[in-house]
Structure formats: structure tokens, C-alpha cells
Amino acid sequence: MEECRAETSSLFLSPVPGVQEIFGFDGESASVSIHAGWLGMAKMGVDSLEAWNPDTGSWSQPHCAARFTLLRWLLLAGGGSEPDQWPPSAAKQSFGGNLLSLSCVR
């Protein structure tokens, strides 16, 4: 769960007033930076599938499991539906339950 918290910290903090200014972004450039952060997280979620081992049903890297779970959440939150089979069913297994059932992500 700590990996998921680490990965979401940047997404959570990026729109906070003053955070983008620390890195020299304001106005439109801050909006682009926030958007790029979300897109980057989604891409890392797709890339993380390289760390999934279907033979053992496990992730080789905890951060990859977190990134995939965040990608999955983004897809569902965007109106997607739960497919019959996600390539790695360990997205639920890795965090001891369905991430969507946590009140903090509703």
C-alpha cells in the first residue's frame, strides 16, 4: 500500500496552489504540467505490465503493482467497465482487496 501512496502523492499535490510555482509553472503551463503528470502515470501503468509474472501470479516490483492499480482506477473512473479478465488479476491481490472499495478513492 505504501507504493500506491507514494505514486499518488505527486498526483494529489500537483494541483495544490503553490506547488507548481515551486517548479516554475503557472497558469497554462501549470495546467499542462498537471495533465502531463496524469498521462505519465497512465503510461507507467501500461508499462508496469512488464513486471507482471503470470506464471507466479505476482509482481516483480511493488511500484509496478501500484501503477497498474492506479491505471485500472483511472479507466474505471473515466467510465470504463470492469472487463471479465484483467491481464493481471493481482491488482486486487497485491493490495488485499479491491482498491475501488476504499472510501478515499470514491
Side-chain angles (χ1 to χ4, degrees), residues 52-73:
W52 171 249
N53 184 336
D55 296 330
T56 63
S58 63
W59 296 92
S60 62
Q61 297 293 322
H63 278 275
C64 291
R67 291 170 182 156
F68 177 78
T69 301
L70 291 171
L71 169 65
R72 189 168 166 252
W73 178 80

Side-chain angles (χ1 to χ4, degrees), residues 60-97:
S60 62
Q61 297 293 322
H63 278 275
C64 291
R67 291 170 182 156
F68 177 78
T69 301
L70 291 171
L71 169 65
R72 189 168 166 252
W73 178 80
L74 287 169
L75 292 171
L76 292 172
S81 61
E82 182 85 36
D84 291 335
Q85 289 185 349
W86 284 94
S89 60
K92 292 180 182 179
Q93 170 196 0
S94 297
F95 297 105

Side-chain angles (χ1 to χ4, degrees), residues 23-68:
F23 299 101
F25 298 113
D26 60 0
E28 181 65 24
S29 64
S31 295
V32 169
S33 174
I34 293 167
H35 186 76
W38 281 96
L39 289 176
M41 184 60 69
K43 181 190 180 302
M44 288 187 294
V46 172
D47 292 345
S48 71
L49 290 171
E50 294 177 355
W52 171 249
N53 184 336
D55 296 330
T56 63
S58 63
W59 296 92
S60 62
Q61 297 293 322
H63 278 275
C64 291
R67 291 170 182 156
F68 177 78

